[in-house]
Amino acid sequence: MAVREHENRAIRLSMRPDRLTAEKCEQARECLSRCLLFSRLDDQQFETVLQHTRLAVLDENQRLFEQHQPAREIFLLHSGQIKLALTSPEGHEKVIDLIAPGVSFAEAVMFSGNHVYPVTATALVRSEVWGIDAATYEEILRQSTDACFAVMAQMSRRLHWQIAELDRLTLHNAAFRVISYLLEQLPSTHRHASQMQLDAPKHVIASRLSITPETLSRIFSRLSRDGHIDIMDNTITINDIERLRAYLQDGDLRSG
C-alpha cells in the first residue's frame, strides 16, 4: 500500500499546475490549434481552453495517469512518446496504443459514465504533455455545435482505426502484423529501400502486436534471412518495400 501511495503522489506532483511562461503559452497555442479537437473553437473558446491548460514534463518510464484513476483531464502530446496499456488483475500488461507527438488521447473519457481512465499512460522517453481540463472542454461542447462535430470527427477516425486494428489482430497471423507495423512507419510514397528507427522497445512493440518478444525476434530474423530487411540494433532497413506491400495484399505470408 505504501508503494502505491508513493507512486500516486509522484504522479500528482508531476502534474502540478504551473502558470505557463509566455514561450510555453505560445507553444500550447500552436500545438492545440493544429489538433482537430480544438480546430473548430472560436477565439474566445480557444482562449478559455488555453487558460485551463497545463504542461506535464515526464521522465522516461514515469506515469502520467493510472488505470482506474479519476479522469479530470484530456491530453495532447507535445513531444516524446506515451504508451497506453491495460493491466490485468494478475499484473500482465497489454499495450493498447503508442501515442506520437500531435496526437490527443483520453478524450473519450468525457463521454463515459464513470469518468475514470481505462488504461495507464506511461512515458517511454522524456515527454511533454499538454493537460486540458476536461470539465472546461465539456462545457464548451455544450455550447458549440462546431466543437461537437470536431469531436465526432475525431471519434470517427479512432473508430475506423480500431476496426482496422481488430481486423489485423484477429484475422491475420503474426508475420502479417509485424510487416504491417513496419510499413506503417514509412510514408506511403516510399517505393524502394528505406531506413527506419523502431519507435519503441521491442518488448513494447511485441505487446502492441499481441505477440511474444520471442515471436517478434523470430520474425525479424526470418525477414532478415530472406533478404527483406537488415537489422542493426533498433535501425531497420527495408530492402524492398513494394515486395512487402505485395505480401500484405496477396496474403502470401506463412504463419509467424
Side-chain angles (χ1 to χ4, degrees):
M1 180 63 71
V3 174
R4 175 53 59 86
E5 289 176 353
H6 176 74
E7 289 178 351
N8 287 340
R9 181 173 179 272
I11 294 168
R12 288 196 296 272
L13 289 176
S14 72
M15 288 298 294
R16 181 189 294 124
D18 297 316
R19 177 178 290 277
L20 296 179
T21 64
E23 180 183 2
K24 289 299 183 182
C25 188
E26 190 56 36
Q27 288 180 358
R29 185 186 304 278
E30 181 180 353
C31 193
L32 268 64
S33 66
R34 295 196 299 264
C35 179
L36 180 61
L37 290 180
F38 312 106
S39 62
R40 305 288 289 274
L41 302 183
D42 61 33
D43 292 342
Q44 182 177 352
Q45 292 167 339
F46 192 79
E47 290 302 318
T48 298
V49 167
L50 281 179
Q51 291 170 12
H52 293 82
T53 296
R54 56 180 173 166
L55 180 65
V57 180
L58 304 172
D59 294 327
E60 182 180 352
N61 294 324
Q62 187 173 2
R63 290 180 177 178
L64 177 63
F65 56 79
E66 286 188 324
Q67 189 174 336
H68 305 310
Q69 182 180 331
R72 299 186 177 92
E73 292 171 299
I74 59 179
F75 300 96
L76 178 63
L77 184 58
H78 178 60
S79 64
Q81 187 179 45
I82 297 292
K83 173 184 69 176
L84 303 182
L86 284 170
T87 304
S88 71
E90 296 76 23
H92 302 302
E93 181 181 85
K94 171 65 177 77
V95 177
I96 302 300
D97 202 0
L98 298 175
I99 303 298
V103 177
S104 62
F105 56 103
E107 60 268 40
V109 175
M110 291 189 298
F111 308 104
S112 65
N114 53 7
H115 294 284
V116 297
Y117 295 116
V119 296
T120 294
T122 306
L124 289 177
V125 296
R126 187 179 187 279
S127 302
E128 294 187 342
V129 187
W130 302 113
I132 300 95
D133 182 67
T136 299
Y137 187 65
E138 184 176 346
E139 184 60 29
I140 290 175
L141 292 182
R142 296 181 186 278
Q143 302 170 4
S144 173
T145 303
D146 285 343
C148 287
F149 272 104
V151 173
M152 292 173 63
Q154 181 78 338
M155 295 298 102
S156 178
R157 288 184 179 184
R158 291 282 172 84
L159 179 60
H160 284 293
W161 176 85
Q162 288 173 345
I163 291 174
E165 183 73 357
L166 183 63
D167 173 85
R168 179 169 60 186
L169 294 180
T170 58
L171 301 182
H172 298 287
N173 62 28
F176 184 102
R177 296 177 220 167
V178 172
I179 293 176
S180 179
Y181 172 82
L182 292 176
L183 293 178
E184 284 176 355
Q185 312 308 307
L186 301 175
S188 59
T189 54
H190 282 210
R191 292 289 181 268
H192 304 293
S194 186
Q195 191 175 89
M196 56 169 285
Q197 294 287 327
L198 292 179
D199 63 354
K202 291 178 183 177
H203 72 277
V204 173
I205 294 173
S207 177
R208 180 72 185 81
L209 300 177
S210 294
I211 59 179
T212 65
E214 293 76 16
T215 297
L216 179 65
S217 296
R218 186 167 65 249
I219 293 172
F220 277 164
S221 296
R222 195 183 80 193
L223 291 174
S224 177
R225 185 176 63 251
D226 292 345
H228 300 309
I229 66 174
D230 292 323
I231 304 177
M232 180 65 69
D233 296 326
N234 286 330
T235 301
I236 293 183
T237 301
I238 300 180
N239 297 319
D240 193 335
I241 297 175
E242 286 299 290
R243 186 175 182 185
L244 288 186
R245 286 182 177 147
Y247 280 157
L248 296 187
Q249 293 173 359
D250 299 339
D252 185 18
L253 294 168
R254 301 296 181 263
S255 171

